[in-house]
Amino acid sequence: MNINYIHPADQLVMFMQRIYDKGMTTTSGGNLSIMDDDGNMWITPAGVDKGSLTRNDMVCVMADGSIVGQHRPSSEYPFHKAVYRMRPDLKAVLHAHPPALVSFSIARVCPDLDLLPSVRKICKEMQIAVYAVPGSEELGDNIGKCFVDGCDIVLLENHGVCIGAADMFTAFKKFETLDYIANLEILAKRIGNPKSLNDSAFAVTTTRDHTRMDDFIPNSHTTEELAARRDMITLIRRSYRQGLFTATQGTYSVRLSDGSFLITPYDQDRAYLEEDDIVRVKSGMKEQGRTPSRAVLLHQKMYEMHPDIHAILQAHPVHAMAFVVTDAPFDTRTIPESYILLRDIKRIPYGRNYVDHEGTSAEFGPACPAVMLENDCVIVTGESLLQAFDRLEVMESTAHSIINASAVGNIVHISKEEIDDIKVAFKLID
Ligand SMILES: [Zn+2]
């Protein structure tokens, strides 16, 4: 989907609905605006339920200052105006009050943008705007000062966040990523000390292998391939709804019986992916006109080395990721279902998946279907897409339970003898 072909009023409906549905704003809070090519500002209205906005509710403040629409513009119109005045390069402004970011705004500290390479890539810098009365010109000035410095992400003291971008999808992507990292840091600090990455660590992730593959032109699509595309789209959308993915982060792949495989595309909005966006990779070549996910060569190596693996999921489920960014042990020997599906989870040192595909791939096996890549992601494999997805859900659910358990008492682990009984009962191999 190319956002530039969608009318500004419809974009405002689309993104406000998405923000509201994900619990990132309340009925009365938050506002969005888009500056169109004629210099008119389209903005969400004041005093209308954010959960049921339509395109006719949107307000257009024309370049000459006249207002077109059935409602008043948002009460925060002054700071939207200030941002566009300070930064003519920005064409979309997003403001909301998601709980995790509001927590940071109350504590008046920024979340750590250096915990994950994917976050630092999307959110490079953040500043804090001094508190002022909501809707006031003073608040507009305080926010505008941060934007004039070239910063696109501003935390409003005791209020929320304001993000500017060249288009609304980019603003949303930054917003969702920021909300994700805020939630992650809060969870990680409940179980340990989150570790930040330095510049040289980030440099490791800049490989562009996924764009250097040769192309092939597919001359047919088997029903096996079409079914796999359909099943991937179903689970990718579900993963997005469940928070296992953000808009552009997260990779799924599925092996086909001819040895080729299907993989998610690079940098495309996961919420609206269609069957024809999925990229087929065959004999080291990619389907013509498509760009596969950056992890494509690692997935290719894993399929080569492990004939029993038919699906690979690489994701960032927030509770599991709290263990990925700290040294807190993630122990599956706490819940039988978790041990049966995931076995003991290995931790792979940061960066290895970028520089050593073979070594990373060699970590997997029948007794190791899932790993955690420090300060990066989790990778889960399966004999089928559904089995891999189940494992991913179980990992996230287990992580959630372990984090919560520490609040109600001491964690009791399943004993070695009890694990041996599970291995016999479920015929688990080492
Ligand atoms: Zn507000």
Side-chain angles (χ1 to χ4, degrees), residues 59 145 177 182 203 224 301 333 344 347:
V59 181
K145 271 182 213 153
T177 303
E224 180 205 20
K301 181 56 73 180
R333 298 178 180 222
D344 292 315
R347 292 178 74 98

Side-chain angles (χ1 to χ4, degrees), residues 25 28-31 74-76 79 95-97 134-135 139 156 159-161:
T25 197
S28 59
N31 31 76
S74 164
S75 59
E76 298 288 18
F79 79 60
H95 165 62
H97 315 149
L139 181 62
L156 283 53
H159 187 160
V161 67

Side-chain angles (χ1 to χ4, degrees), residues 108-129:
R108 300 190 174 184
V109 291
C110 289
D112 185 351
L113 304 179
D114 293 337
L115 293 180
L116 300 175
S118 55
V119 171
R120 171 134 144 191
K121 195 163 137 255
I122 296 169
C123 303
K124 291 186 176 59
E125 190 202 347
M126 183 169 190
Q127 290 188 15
I128 299 182

Side-chain angles (χ1 to χ4, degrees), residues 197-217:
L197 295 170
N198 59 26
D199 287 347
S200 59
F202 284 111
V204 173
T205 68
T206 54
T207 58
R208 306 289 298 171
D209 298 341
H210 64 302
T211 59
R212 293 198 196 104
M213 302 171 83
D214 287 335
D215 287 350
F216 77 96
I217 301 172

